[in-house]
Structures are given as structure tokens and as C-alpha cells.
Amino acid sequence: ETGVTQTPRHLVMGMTNKKSLKCEQHLGHNAMYWYKQSAKKPLELMFVYNFKEQTENNSVPSRFSPECPNSSHLFLHLHTLQPEDSALYLCASSQVGNSGANVLTFGAGSRLTVL
Amino acid sequence: GDSVTQMEGPVTLSEEAFLTINCTYTATGYPSLFWYVQYPGEGLQLLLKATKADDKGSNKGFEATYRKETTSFHLEKGSVQVSDSAVYFCALFSGNTPLVFGKGTRLSVIA
């Protein structure tokens, strides 16, 4: 496996379900990110982890709970979601701290539908 | 704060037409600039980048020049193909916060 892998690619859940999205990066990067992409809206940064520590949480509702057990894995735990949470959830990774630009590598995304 | 403004889409072109997607930015200091592309059903991929003024990024026939005087990084391609149909995102990185993205411009190329 190379790059950034997200599973599942598609998920349908009811509002009372609990599910998790998984992201794994095989690039040796030290930072990982969750983005939300909704139709007709800009890309929204949700969470950032640098060296497994959460460094950013952009006012995301508590029904979204991230977990970063190590620098290669990132989870997004979902609980009691609303239909408006239906979106494409994108994971990305990067190597922070280089003198060069912070280039993100994205996964293919997990398409979530909340009924 | 840092921000990126790119032209509203969608943009519809015939095959072999010339493409320009405008992007301007606001940032403190000297940011790095990027274009990402998202093909249908996929995540974003880095298309090209430029890290300092007057740099030209290029890839797959696409080009963009970092213009500090006009704070712009317009994306161009001389002859588009149907396979270029995608959403294009301009982005900047100024070192203080994660990448800042524009809203995206959808390009449709028809044969």
C-alpha cells in the first residue's frame, strides 16, 4: 500500500448509529488531517494532528471525535450524526517542519450518508 | 487572516480550448502557493506548486506563475482535454496555519 488509504469508501448510517472512519498513511509523515467536503461549500478543515497531538479543532461538534493512536493512523468516530453531516470526509497527511512548503497528500475520501 | 479567492465556476470549455482559472491571495509574508485537482470520485491531488515570487509551477501541461506584485497564481493550460474535467483548488501555505484552500472551480471539457 502506498499513499493515504481511507476506509470505508462509502458509509450509510442512521442518526443513532456509532461508526468510525479510518485513515492510514504509508508516507512516513508526521501530521494528519480530517477535512469535510460538502456540496457547494468550501473545504472545511476539521482536525489536525502533529506528532499524534491534536493541534487544531475548528469548532467541530462533539458528535465527531478524532483519534490518532500513532503517526500513521487517524480515526474519526461518529455518533448521533445529523443528515447535514452527510459529506465526503477527506483524510490527508504531510511532513511538517521541513523548510519547504507543507504539501498535503490526500486519501480518496469516505462518502458518508446520514439517514 | 490568510485567504484565497478563485473564480466561480463552473467553467465549460470545448476540447483544445485555452484554460485560465484565476486565483488571488491575501497572506502575511511570503506564502507558498499550490493548485490541487480533484477528479470525480477521488480525493485531492497536488497538481503544481511555487514557493517564491516569479516561480512557475508546471505539470501535465498546466502552468501557474507566482506573481507577488498582483498577489496572483492563475492556472493556465493551452489545450484542454476531456480528461481534464475536474474541480481545481488554489491553496496557500504561509507557515503559521495549515493549508488554506479556495472554494474550488469545476471545469467541464466537452468533446
Side-chain angles (χ1 to χ4, degrees):
Chain A
E1 287 274 14
T2 58
V4 179
T5 305
Q6 290 187 242
T7 54
R9 291 294 309 276
H10 300 273
L11 177 63
V12 179
M13 60 187 288
M15 291 194 288
T16 57
N17 291 158
K18 286 185 184 180
K19 297 285 184 184
S20 296
L21 305 181
K22 179 183 174 183
C23 177
E24 184 174 0
Q25 59 99 357
H26 309 270
L27 301 166
H29 289 165
N30 57 17
M32 297 187 77
Y33 310 76
W34 279 116
Y35 283 86
K36 177 183 178 183
Q37 187 177 33
S38 306
K40 302 190 193 307
K41 285 179 135 182
L43 211 57
E44 298 174 52
L45 178 63
M46 300 175 73
F47 301 105
V48 181
Y49 278 82
N50 280 350
F51 299 97
K52 302 187 299 175
E53 299 296 321
Q54 188 179 124
T55 58
E56 197 136 343
N57 173 347
N58 283 354
S59 305
V60 179
S62 59
R63 58 186 184 269
F64 294 92
S65 173
E67 179 190 0
C68 188
N70 55 60
S71 58
S72 298
H73 293 85
L74 183 65
F75 296 89
L76 188 62
H77 302 301
L78 315 170
H79 176 49
T80 322
L81 294 192
Q82 305 297 311
E84 59 265 28
D85 296 323
S86 298
L88 182 68
Y89 288 85
L90 292 165
C91 175
S93 70
S94 72
Q95 185 64 20
V96 173
N98 288 347
S99 57
N102 185 20
V103 176
L104 296 182
T105 301
F106 283 85
S110 293
R111 172 74 60 189
L112 172 66
T113 303
V114 181
L115 302 177
Chain B
D2 297 346
S3 66
V4 173
T5 303
Q6 58 182 108
M7 62 189 288
E8 297 278 336
V11 174
T12 302
L13 296 174
S14 297
E15 214 166 17
E16 299 183 5
F18 185 87
L19 169 71
T20 301
I21 300 178
N22 290 339
C23 171
T24 57
Y25 67 90
T26 302
T28 52
Y30 303 95
S32 296
L33 301 172
F34 306 82
W35 277 100
Y36 279 79
V37 59
Q38 185 177 30
Y39 298 104
E42 298 183 16
L44 279 70
Q45 303 172 27
L46 179 66
L47 180 61
L48 54 83
K49 67 177 183 181
T51 57
K52 60 183 188 297
D54 299 325
D55 266 3
K56 178 186 281 188
S58 61
N59 186 24
K60 299 182 181 179
F62 290 89
E63 292 182 340
T65 301
Y66 188 158
R67 302 280 188 207
K68 184 170 178 295
E69 63 276 12
T70 54
T71 62
S72 65
F73 193 55
H74 305 322
L75 183 68
E76 296 181 336
K77 186 174 186 183
S79 176
V80 293
Q81 305 301 312
V82 172
S83 57
D84 294 325
S85 298
V87 182
Y88 292 82
F89 294 88
C90 186
L92 74 80
F93 175 69
S94 62
N96 298 321
T97 59
L99 217 56
V100 175
F101 285 91
K103 292 184 179 182
T105 303
R106 182 175 299 278
L107 169 67
S108 294
V109 180
I110 52 179

